C-alpha cells in the first residue's frame, strides 16, 4: 500500500497567518491526491481534488499544489474556523489510502 | 442537498458482529456509489469497502474476509456487516459518497463503535 506521510503532526497558528501543510507519498502518485478538512463532531469535507483542483463552495484561501510524491496544502489568512484536522488521500493505487493528518490549532 | 448519516450500536462485544446503517438523502443509490471508512482513535483513516451504483462491491483486502456491504435502494440505505470484532476495530465509522471515482465528496458525521466486553 502507498503510505502518505503528513507533516507537521500539529501546527500552531495565529489568525491571519498563511500556513503550508505537507503530504509526501511513498511512491509516485501523479496528481491523484485529495485534501480533506475534519472538524471534531462534524462531517469531513473535501477541500481539494486531484492535487490542485478547487471544490465548489470551498473558500479561496484554500489552495494546493504538487505532483509525484510531494504535495502541499496552503491556507492563506487562517481564520478561527480553520482549526481542524487536515488529511490527504491518494487514489492512484489500490487501495486508496489516507495520511495520518495535520492538526491545526490556535496559538 | 446530499446527506449521509450513520447509525449503529455504539458498543459491541469482542468476537461479535458489527452492523451499521448509512441512510442517505438527496441522492439515489442506483446512480451513486457509497464507501465505508473508519478511523481508530489517534490513528489515520482506513478505507474499508464500497458498494457501487450497479450493486457490485469491492473491499480492502486487509479486512475483506470479515466484511460485507449491501444496500436497500428503496430505503436509501447502505449496510455494513463485519464479523469477529476485536478491540482493534474500535473506531469512528463513516460512510461517504464516491465522487468522481475514488475521492469522497460527501461524508456522514460518523458513528463511534467501541469493541469491549
Amino acid at each position: 500500500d502507498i503510505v502518505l506521510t503528513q507533516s507537521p503532526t500539529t501546527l500552531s497558528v495565529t489568525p491571519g497567518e498563511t500556513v503550508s501543510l505537507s503530504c509526501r507519498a511513498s511512491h509516485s502518485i501523479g496528481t491523484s491526491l485529495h485534501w480533506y478538512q475534519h472538524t471534531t463532531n462534524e462531517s469531513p469535507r473535501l477541500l481539494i481534488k486531484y492535487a490542485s483542483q478547487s471544490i465548489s463552495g470551498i473558500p479561496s484561501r484554500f489552495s494546493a499544489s504538487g505532483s509525484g510524491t510531494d504535495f502541499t496544502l496552503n491556507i492563506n489568512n487562517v481564520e478561527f474556523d480553520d482549526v481542524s484536522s487536515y488529511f490527504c488521500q491518494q487514489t492512484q493505487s489500490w487501495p486508496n489510502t489516507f495520511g495520518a493528518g495535520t492538526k491545526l490549532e490556535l496559538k | 442537498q446530499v446527506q449521509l448519516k450513520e447509525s449503529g450500536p455504539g458498543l459491541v462485544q469482542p468476537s461479535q458482529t458489527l452492523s451499521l446503517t448509512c441512510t442517505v438523502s438527496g441522492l439515489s443509490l442506483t446512480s451513486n456509489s457509497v464507501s465505508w471508512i473508519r478511523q481508530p482513535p489517534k490513528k489515520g483513516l482506513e478505507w474499508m469497502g464500497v458498494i457501487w451504483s450497479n450493486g457490485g462491491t469491492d473491499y480492502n483486502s486487509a479486512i475483506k474476509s470479515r466484511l460485507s456491504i449491501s444496500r436497500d435502494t428503496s430505503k436509501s440505505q447502505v449496510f455494513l456487516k463485519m464479523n469477529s470484532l476485536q478491540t482493534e476495530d474500535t473506531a469512528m465509522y463513516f460512510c461517504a459518497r464516491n465522487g468522481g471515482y475514488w475521492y469522497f465528496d460527501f461524508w456522514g458525521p460518523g458513528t463511534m463503535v467501541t469493541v469491549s466486553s
Side-chain angles (χ1 to χ4, degrees):
Chain A
D1 295 3
I2 289 182
V3 176
L4 297 178
T5 302
Q6 291 190 244
S7 61
T9 303
T10 305
L11 187 58
S12 297
V13 299
T14 301
E17 270 190 75
T18 292
V19 298
S20 294
L21 284 58
S22 172
C23 177
R24 181 163 292 176
S26 59
H27 298 82
S28 179
I29 56 172
T31 57
S32 297
L33 190 286
H34 320 288
W35 289 95
Y36 301 84
Q37 177 191 53
H38 186 203
T39 304
T40 303
N41 297 326
E42 295 186 12
S43 304
R45 181 169 71 154
L46 176 66
L47 294 177
I48 300 284
K49 63 182 182 181
Y50 294 110
S52 62
Q53 294 181 17
S54 59
I55 301 296
S56 175
I58 300 301
S60 58
R61 64 178 183 278
F62 293 95
S63 64
S65 62
S67 66
T69 60
D70 290 319
F71 301 86
T72 302
L73 174 70
N74 299 301
I75 311 175
N76 294 325
N77 299 317
V78 168
E79 299 184 0
F80 287 107
D81 287 349
D82 298 336
V83 171
S84 288
S85 290
Y86 294 84
F87 52 92
C88 53
Q89 176 210 15
Q90 68 80 23
T91 56
Q92 175 72 15
S93 178
W94 177 278
N96 70 93
T97 52
F98 294 86
T102 292
K103 185 175 181 180
L104 204 65
E105 59 182 30
L106 293 178
K107 280 183 182 172
Chain B
Q1 181 182 3
V2 175
Q3 291 186 321
L4 301 93
K5 186 169 177 62
E6 308 86 351
S7 58
L11 179 66
V12 180
Q13 293 196 339
S15 79
Q16 296 301 301
T17 296
L18 172 65
S19 295
L20 297 177
T21 299
C22 173
T23 302
V24 308
S25 59
L27 62 86
S28 168
L29 292 177
T30 56
S31 52
N32 290 272
S33 303
V34 173
S35 282
W36 286 97
I37 299 150
R38 66 177 178 177
Q39 184 174 30
K42 301 194 185 302
K43 293 189 177 180
L45 291 148
E46 177 187 37
W47 173 77
M48 301 178 71
V50 59
I51 186 161
W52 299 106
S53 58
N54 64 6
T57 54
D58 280 305
Y59 303 117
N60 191 322
S61 56
I63 51 175
K64 183 176 183 177
S65 63
R66 300 194 290 138
L67 184 63
S68 175
I69 298 175
S70 60
R71 70 183 185 181
D72 184 334
T73 56
S74 66
K75 293 184 178 179
S76 294
Q77 291 181 323
V78 176
F79 308 106
L80 175 148
K81 288 191 187 303
M82 188 162 69
N83 58 32
S84 304
L85 252 61
Q86 302 301 320
T87 55
E88 308 87 78
D89 295 311
T90 292
M92 184 72 82
Y93 286 75
F94 299 93
C95 58
R97 185 181 85 157
N98 286 53
Y101 200 41
W102 279 115
Y103 62 83
F104 306 112
D105 57 358
F106 293 97
W107 296 62
T111 187
M112 185 67 199
V113 174
T114 300
V115 182
S116 174
S117 55

